[in-house]
Amino acid sequence: MDSTLLKGLRVLETVARSAGPRGVSELARELELTRSNVHRTMQTLVAAGYLRASADGAGYECTVKLFELGSAVMERVDVRRVAQHYIRRLAEQTAETVHLSILDDAEVVYLDKVESPQPVRAYSSIGGRAPAHCVASGKALLAALPGDTLDAFLARDLPAWTERTITDPAELARDLAQTRETGCAVNRGEWRISVAGVAAVVFDGAGRPAAAIGVSGPVDRVLPQESRYRGAVLDAAREISRELGCRTYPSGPNAGPARSTER
């Protein structure tokens, strides 16, 4: 790990949690770092816009940049509150596990879920992660990425988790193109050989992909119902998107993030 970066983060987190401005010497003592090290770190954070000298000269305090970053994250997470009713309804319609997920680099993170009432079901946990290229929610979110961002993702190594995982970039690109065409992504045992899923993207009021909602369960239950689940998942995604301010849900041929909403 980068020790300089870790020291900088420790300094920033300590100042952010403090009730008032912090001085170099007291931070050095608290963090068991040298005074010169803390001084250089704080000057770097000032230059980057995260800290500033307090008006009374008592030390350094955080700027609103941290608030801006936190707000950007919370805009995505707020979809959980809006989606709760639709997650429950979709679970009742399908009797399968329903997830609400967001994309975090090359993985999806499960924000919320409702478990299937059936004894055999897909296992997951809120806060858990899965590789984006081989689960339905991940593929739905990848398909909504801008072209250059998606190209960068496809240039990565795509590890195989099962014999059905799509690891060839060209094949995955075709799969994602079909997802954009139909509005739904499908996982056919690509992460866990016995688990399948169907998912669609939720868009916010600015037409950005905010999350994905999807159904998952045993392959022998989900895939025979794929057509029905596609309709139910898309209906839920559209309704959540409307509540988030998306005026026109981007489904159908050639729909994509750049054309996702009327302004």
Side-chain angles (χ1 to χ4, degrees):
M1 292 186 291
D2 188 323
S3 60
T4 301
L5 176 59
L6 288 175
K7 289 175 185 176
L9 291 172
R10 286 180 65 201
V11 169
L12 183 59
E13 289 172 357
T14 303
V15 175
R17 293 190 175 104
S18 299
R22 300 298 301 270
V24 173
S25 297
E26 62 173 329
L27 273 178
R29 288 192 299 271
E30 181 176 337
L31 299 175
E32 298 181 343
L33 299 171
T34 64
R35 190 181 186 283
S36 60
N37 200 322
V38 172
H39 183 264
R40 285 195 304 271
T41 299
M42 296 181 89
Q43 290 303 310
T44 300
L45 291 169
V46 169
Y50 288 96
L51 295 183
R52 65 185 174 201
S54 62
D56 59 6
Y60 294 86
E61 60 189 10
C62 288
T63 67
V64 296
K65 192 166 186 177
L66 283 178
F67 175 77
E68 292 170 353
L69 292 176
S71 296
V73 173
M74 289 309 297
E75 281 183 4
R76 296 164 63 195
V77 176
D78 188 55
V79 68
R80 179 179 178 181
R81 175 184 58 79
V82 174
Q84 284 179 342
H85 164 72
Y86 301 100
I87 294 173
R88 290 194 298 269
R89 189 183 69 182
L90 185 59
E92 291 171 0
Q93 290 172 337
T94 62
E96 299 291 357
T97 298
V98 176
H99 296 105
L100 184 72
S101 311
I102 58 172
L103 187 65
D104 184 27
D105 193 30
E107 298 177 309
V108 293
V109 179
Y110 298 118
L111 286 185
D112 206 352
K113 72 167 188 173
V114 173
E115 289 276 14
S116 168
Q118 305 193 65
V120 179
R121 57 188 182 230
Y123 173 78
S124 63
S125 59
I126 296 174
R129 291 172 175 265
H133 69 288
C134 48
V135 293
S137 56
K139 293 199 289 182
L141 287 161
L142 290 174
L145 291 176
D148 55 347
T149 307
L150 178 57
D151 289 343
F153 180 89
L154 292 173
R156 300 178 181 218
D157 178 50
L158 301 173
W161 292 86
T162 76
E163 61 190 32
R164 297 177 184 171
T165 304
I166 302 174
T167 59
D168 177 64
E171 184 180 354
L172 182 58
R174 289 191 293 272
D175 187 88
L176 298 178
Q178 185 176 23
T179 295
R180 284 189 292 274
E181 189 77 16
T182 63
C184 275
V186 181
N187 158 29
R188 298 178 174 88
E190 295 157 43
W191 184 32
R192 297 169 181 153
I193 194 67
S194 61
V195 177
V198 179
V201 174
V202 171
F203 291 91
D204 66 16
R208 297 169 300 199
I213 185 171
V215 171
S216 64
V219 166
D220 59 0
R221 284 207 311 253
V222 172
L223 294 185
Q225 296 290 325
E226 180 182 328
S227 178
R228 183 170 74 88
Y229 287 175
R230 280 176 180 270
V233 166
L234 268 172
D235 284 347
R238 289 190 184 103
E239 292 185 69
I240 299 168
S241 299
R242 276 197 291 270
E243 285 211 31
L244 291 173
C246 181
R247 295 171 58 194
T248 303
Y249 187 85
S251 61
N254 302 316
R259 296 170 293 280
S260 62
T261 187
E262 296 176 352
R263 289 178 173 81

